[in-house]
Amino acid sequence: MKFTYYGHSCFRVETKGSAILFDPFISQNPLAAEVDLDAITADYIFVSHGHEDHILDCAYLAERTGALVVSNFEICEWLRRKGLKRLHAMNTGGQWTFPFGVVKAVAAQHSSGLPDGSYGGNPMGFVFKTGDRNFFYAGDTALTLDMQLIPSFVPPDLAFLPIGDNFTMGYEDAARAATMIQCRRIIGLHFDTFASIRIDKELARTHFKSRGLELILPEIGTTIEL
Ligand code: NI
Ligand code: MN
């Protein structure tokens, strides 16, 4: 599975012939200044919740790429009012079969207000069962016991977890989450973008390593095979 990191919680994977983009927040992320928004292609855009640092460039990219946007019901309706037509609404606990595999929407312990103050429904994470790499994108969330349920759907080969603390779990809780979801290979997201989520990357990596886990902290703009 090919993975490209665009900074914060925005990344793109190519799996089973589909390009899937997550939580697009690029144009106002100073750390992602080198990323060319207009060079990004996507067949799908998954949005975990309504906060601006996850939805900012969604409408623009969906219009430009023609991607199908997948999010919760309230966010899909908000995007529909902005003129988007290709939308697939889900809600926590539900699963849906896409051409690349099955996605289950799971609960995230967070909030989800939209940038204009509209109600943004409940925040979600997504578990992907693709037969290529099975993976979990947690969205923004606290550590929650509900994570123990994820392996009963599919034990993820990889998990994309927030590690920046303050607004979400920090890396210590992310390491505990890794154990709960039975996944040893974690890609860290949602760190360093703002002063309040800056982390010591070496300390985070060492913390994971001491627990027999791997923490990958990708460079913005790079593509790696996972
Ligand atoms: Ni958030
Ligand atoms: Mn966030």
Side-chain angles (χ1 to χ4, degrees), residues 74-129:
E74 288 80 4
I75 290 172
C76 284
E77 287 307 300
W78 187 79
L79 290 168
R80 194 184 306 284
R81 291 196 294 277
K82 292 205 172 300
L84 292 196
K85 291 191 173 63
R86 298 201 65 232
L87 298 155
H88 180 90
M90 298 183 74
N91 215 330
T92 46
Q95 65 180 46
W96 184 256
T97 303
F98 295 91
F100 54 80
V102 184
V103 177
K104 191 177 179 80
V106 297
Q109 184 60 50
H110 193 63
S111 56
S112 183
L114 284 153
D116 63 1
S118 299
Y119 174 63
N122 291 316
M124 305 194 298
F126 301 104
V127 191
F128 285 69
K129 196 195 302 193

Side-chain angles (χ1 to χ4, degrees), residues 8-9 23 48-49 51-54 110 139-140 167-168 190 194 197:
H8 203 50
S9 290
D23 285 359
S48 63
H49 65 293
H51 292 162
E52 188 164 60
D53 60 320
H54 298 259
H110 193 63
D140 280 5
F167 295 120
T168 65
H190 214 272
F194 318 116
I197 59 172

Side-chain angles (χ1 to χ4, degrees), residues 34-50:
E34 302 298 304
V35 175
D36 180 4
L37 204 58
D38 290 317
I40 297 172
T41 59
D43 303 305
Y44 300 88
I45 301 174
F46 279 73
V47 177
S48 63
H49 65 293

Side-chain angles (χ1 to χ4, degrees), residues 128-161:
F128 285 69
K129 196 195 302 193
T130 66
D132 173 14
R133 291 278 186 273
N134 300 317
F135 65 94
F136 170 45
Y137 170 47
D140 280 5
T141 185
L143 178 69
T144 142
L145 282 172
D146 288 358
M147 289 171 176
Q148 293 177 0
L149 296 172
I150 287 170
S152 66
F153 173 59
V154 67
D157 301 304
L158 303 158
F160 302 87
L161 304 180

